[in-house]
Amino acid sequence: MSAQIEEDLKKTMNIISTNWGLQNNYNDKATNFIYKAHSLEECLIEIEQTGVDKEYALHRWYNYMTSIQCEYIFCEYGAVHEKNKYNHDVDIYIDGVPFDVKLTVYPAKLYSRPYDLTTRKGKNDMIRWYYANQSQQSRKQMLNRLYVVCDALSSDKNMAMKSNFNLMRRRISAYMENVKEHGLNEILINDNGNEYKLKSDIIHLN
């Protein structure tokens, strides 16, 4: 991912607001060009030509591109990126282990802060919460997963944190160093009577 993309994502932050409505299949289909737009300029041209909701399209492009950038930051510190861009289950490999990477914001449902993310137990408990509260439909999967959690004081700041790549690099590099020393975190997840042994962790951005 180029420095130009990082610059474009920061520019996008000055254009969009946090209010872009609920995601839906109709608008998703209409804005799927975001996956092929390699710059903010390309995205804006497509928005102009298609007449789609600008706010909706730019939000999707921003979220998609910050997620891709997050994946490549792991690769800067030793991970290997999945070559097949159509593989929706695997983004990167760490020591040969496949991972799905989720760049996300701290869940609003956990407003009471029940988990201490400075401890291994707290992170593991929140990981179990994530797996238990993922979509129960066809996208429900028990995959090795890394959660990069933006935890700012407001929705605006959470959105900005998704493109705070200096902070992301500091936390991800520290995480990768910890993996070198201690190995990957393994966790048992119980779901509908089945037990899954997974590799998973939380990288907390705050």
Side-chain angles (χ1 to χ4, degrees):
M1 190 70 66
S2 69
Q4 182 59 52
I5 285 292
E6 293 192 12
E7 190 61 33
D8 277 1
L9 289 167
K10 288 180 172 63
K11 288 179 183 176
T12 307
M13 274 299 304
N14 296 322
I15 303 174
I16 59 178
S17 71
T18 54
N19 299 314
W20 65 300
L22 292 174
Q23 203 164 346
N24 61 75
N25 291 334
Y26 176 80
N27 283 329
D28 280 357
K29 188 174 181 180
T31 57
N32 273 343
F33 58 79
I34 61 113
Y35 297 115
K36 296 181 180 178
H38 301 299
S39 67
L40 175 58
E41 183 180 10
E42 284 182 30
C43 195
L44 289 171
I45 289 170
E46 285 288 341
I47 291 168
E48 182 72 24
Q49 290 177 345
T50 57
V52 297
D53 185 319
K54 181 178 179 181
E55 190 83 14
Y56 194 97
L58 285 178
H59 265 89
R60 286 196 75 209
W61 185 76
Y62 179 84
N63 285 332
Y64 173 65
M65 295 303 286
T66 52
S67 293
I68 296 295
Q69 176 69 350
C70 179
E71 293 166 17
Y72 277 102
I73 288 174
F74 278 97
C75 298
E76 290 175 16
Y77 299 99
V80 176
H81 204 264
E82 165 59 37
K83 292 178 181 177
N84 179 6
K85 65 180 180 179
Y86 300 109
N87 187 340
H88 298 296
D89 296 339
V90 180
D91 297 314
I92 62 171
Y93 298 85
I94 299 176
D95 294 339
V97 177
F99 282 96
D100 178 31
V101 177
K102 295 292 185 190
L103 176 60
T104 186
V105 300
Y106 192 95
K109 289 180 179 179
L110 299 181
Y111 64 90
S112 63
R113 302 280 163 159
Y115 307 121
D116 182 356
L117 296 183
T118 64
T119 69
R120 180 72 271 162
K121 181 183 184 302
K123 286 184 177 181
N124 282 350
D125 287 344
M126 187 158 159
I127 288 167
R128 290 189 178 92
W129 183 92
Y130 270 125
Y131 279 102
N133 287 273
Q134 65 179 315
S135 170
Q136 300 300 300
Q137 307 305 317
S138 59
R139 289 295 295 157
K140 181 175 181 179
Q141 295 165 306
M142 290 298 170
L143 304 171
N144 299 322
R145 195 165 280 145
L146 294 173
Y147 297 93
V148 181
V149 181
C150 297
D151 186 9
L153 297 175
S154 67
S155 296
D156 285 340
K157 289 179 179 178
N158 267 329
M159 188 177 293
M161 192 175 277
K162 283 187 174 182
S163 58
N164 185 343
F165 300 118
N166 288 332
L167 174 61
M168 211 177 282
R169 283 187 173 91
R170 290 199 300 274
R171 298 295 163 80
I172 289 175
S173 65
Y175 168 76
M176 293 296 284
E177 282 298 316
N178 187 69
V179 168
K180 285 180 186 176
E181 187 173 350
H182 301 289
L184 294 162
N185 182 54
E186 193 167 86
I187 186 169
L188 292 175
I189 303 291
N190 292 296
D191 183 77
N192 291 327
N194 297 314
E195 189 172 72
Y196 300 87
K197 185 182 288 187
L198 301 173
K199 302 283 199 309
S200 186
D201 219 326
I202 288 175
I203 294 91
H204 188 206
L205 307 183
N206 62 343

